[in-house]
Amino acid sequence: MADRVQADVEFLADDLLEGRGAGERGHEVAALYVASQFRSLGMQPAGENGSWYQRVPFRRATHEGSPRLELISGATREALSVGSDAAVRPSITERERRIEAPMVFVGWGITDGRYRFDDYRGLDLKGKIAVAFSGTPKGLPSEVAAHLSQQKDEFAAAAGAIGLIEIDPGSDSPAGTVRGASRPRVTDWVDAKGRTGNTAAGLRFRAGVSEATTQRMFAGAAQSLARIRAEAAGGRHPKGFALKPRFALQDKMKWEEFTSPAVLGLLPGTDPKLRSETVILMGHLDHLGIDPDAKPGEDAIYNGALDNAAGIATMLEAGRAFVRSGKPPKRSVLFIAHTAEELGLLGASYWASNPTVPLRQVAGAVNLDMPVPLYDFTEVVAFGADHSTVARAVADAAKTMGLGVGPDPMPEQGIFTRSDHYPLVMKGVPSVLLFTGHANGGKEVWARFFEEAYHQVDDDLKQPIRWTALARYGELNYRIARTLADAPQRPRWIKGSYFADLVAPGEPRAER
Ligand SMILES: [Zn+2]
């Protein structure tokens, strides 16, 4: 068992696979490897057109020349210095933009029924630019805060805004929100229907501004910046109002189109009643590729041995365990090796918008992203445990191996919204993300991994990987998938969960 997961990781994390960047040759080779493993296990191809693959169409946008950004007050046009006064992200929906529009301050820029946030209420944003504080008001659970932060473009677009400029809720950073908006390139998928992944339909741009620019935007405003900031700092929602200056933007894009595959294999269920339902075991196969800025002689390859060759290896191991058991699952089990997770959960979000099985029939999903088998883990963590009973299957399976289930070790990080299961959750699929837990030395090992190797070239095969621990994790993943596949009842959302109410209103609930 240890030999098999070791073989998978050693292949996938080899320098020859060049860091498995989405759209790069190394990732294509990795995808072929996974497809070949699926075939050898007797799985059915479950991609598009009878193949093992779902090929995701991507677009990468960069600026051609420098954007021109201006603040306009009356007859005065004031050019903003790009990169220091303001920054705008390249567009994947328009090759060339010429925009000039009024700005409206919209507080935090959040709309949410559960918390009764309605920052756009009473404001006319049609064809205008929303100016919102970055982040979220104090006091929200971290997962909710992370979710709402990520949805701000959608909220602005839904209100009719054509652009979103974020401003810093505090005044002590001269750079303001410029850095967050200074992305040299933006990648997103664009599907056959013209839909996009992380780009909100109708929102034409997103920009950040420095503290000095923010001050200028609020010159002569109905309320002072100091006052609305004080309200925000107190956890309140300052009411919006129109700003005096207008904002103008002119830029040109270079686009590069490419594709990258997800790999999908199916073990068909055999129970006459349950086999139409599907349980998903998934992980991302891609990593960061090759560092284009590495100096000659330096290691330039992001091998991603733990992130996420190790997760894929344990997913394959779970598949092997199903076959070895000689007992097919009752529900169908779909294995997915996603692409472009590292570019913003893009492969999984594409699948969630272009699913290869009807989403209603997906009973639940377990996402395997970055186990850290550098110690003998004795517990696992299921992010999303408060939201659905998928986590109860995790706990049941763990118990059969003498493993415990630990609490979220880093609640401040909002991890639940930061990996590939999240786009599925947004479509109503009960899902969890698994990590190895903090017990038995895990805390120190995780801290060191984040410090020294995570998203660095050192996440490679030189790490002291305990192959027996990784094999054990593979066995656990099998038992979790088996539990979910064979349970009489499919997982349910948990009563009172924020995400349950958001994505699955009216569906049956489990008691907390
Ligand atoms: Zn990862």
Side-chain angles (χ1 to χ4, degrees), residues 198-499:
N198 291 344
T199 311
L203 196 76
R204 298 179 63 193
F205 76 93
R206 175 156 178 163
V209 286
S210 69
E211 178 58 22
T213 306
T214 308
Q215 301 276 358
R216 273 176 250 158
M217 285 160 57
F218 279 79
Q223 287 198 41
S224 77
L225 196 50
R227 174 161 172 185
I228 55 169
R229 276 177 164 158
E231 277 186 60
R236 293 192 298 281
H237 285 248
K239 271 208 169 54
F241 48 84
L243 298 176
K244 288 266 156 66
R246 297 159 70 82
F247 185 84
L249 152 68
Q250 264 189 57
D251 62 354
K252 265 189 177 176
M253 263 50 71
K254 264 188 292 211
W255 281 352
E256 184 194 340
E257 318 280 341
F258 65 98
T259 68
S260 180
V263 193
L264 301 100
L266 186 80
L267 287 177
T270 49
D271 184 275
K273 279 210 197 85
L274 300 179
R275 69 181 169 211
S276 64
E277 295 180 0
T278 303
V279 167
I280 294 178
L281 207 53
M282 64 191 211
H284 71 92
L285 181 59
D286 69 299
H287 195 51
L288 300 167
I290 296 176
D291 181 359
D293 304 321
K295 295 184 194 78
E298 262 180 16
D299 185 359
I301 299 173
Y302 291 102
N303 304 83
L306 303 189
D307 185 12
N308 184 35
I312 292 292
T314 64
M315 181 179 82
L316 292 172
E317 185 61 12
R320 290 182 199 113
F322 269 106
V323 173
R324 221 169 31 238
S325 75
K327 203 176 122 217
K330 291 183 176 172
R331 289 186 180 81
S332 300
V333 181
L334 176 62
F335 296 78
I336 312 180
H338 282 298
T339 185
E341 190 268 355
E342 304 289 9
L343 299 177
L345 322 184
L346 289 176
S349 103
Y350 182 83
W351 188 87
S353 290
N354 298 271
T356 50
V357 295
L359 286 172
R360 297 283 317 164
Q361 275 150 251
V362 180
V366 177
N367 181 19
L368 310 170
D369 191 358
M370 205 168 77
V372 175
L374 304 173
Y375 63 108
D376 289 316
F377 68 95
T378 55
E379 62 174 31
V380 288
V381 177
F383 295 91
D386 293 342
H387 307 306
S388 78
T389 60
V390 175
R392 291 180 194 170
V394 171
D396 290 347
K399 206 168 163 193
T400 64
M401 295 178 67
L403 295 166
V405 173
D408 182 345
M410 40 197 127
E412 70 291 346
Q413 300 267 347
I415 298 281
F416 182 60
T417 68
R418 288 178 44 188
S419 184
D420 278 340
H421 58 288
Y422 175 66
L424 273 68
V425 167
M426 287 297 103
K427 298 283 185 188
V429 177
S431 314
V432 298
L433 162 66
L434 286 195
F435 270 10
T436 48
H438 268 189
N440 202 34
K443 187 174 185 210
E444 294 72 30
V445 170
W446 271 95
R448 205 176 322 127
F449 175 75
F450 273 124
E451 175 78 24
E452 293 172 3
Y454 173 68
H455 281 196
Q456 298 181 41
V457 293
D458 294 326
D459 178 7
D460 61 14
L461 292 163
K462 288 198 285 291
Q463 296 169 102
I465 299 172
R466 299 200 185 184
W467 301 109
T468 50
L470 189 61
R472 203 162 142 75
Y473 198 65
E475 172 69 19
L476 171 65
N477 295 334
Y478 160 65
R479 293 192 191 198
I480 293 167
R482 169 67 80 181
T483 304
L484 289 166
D486 289 0
Q489 197 189 57
R490 63 193 273 176
R492 288 193 166 171
W493 292 97
I494 293 173
K495 208 171 172 176
S497 147
Y498 169 85
F499 288 95

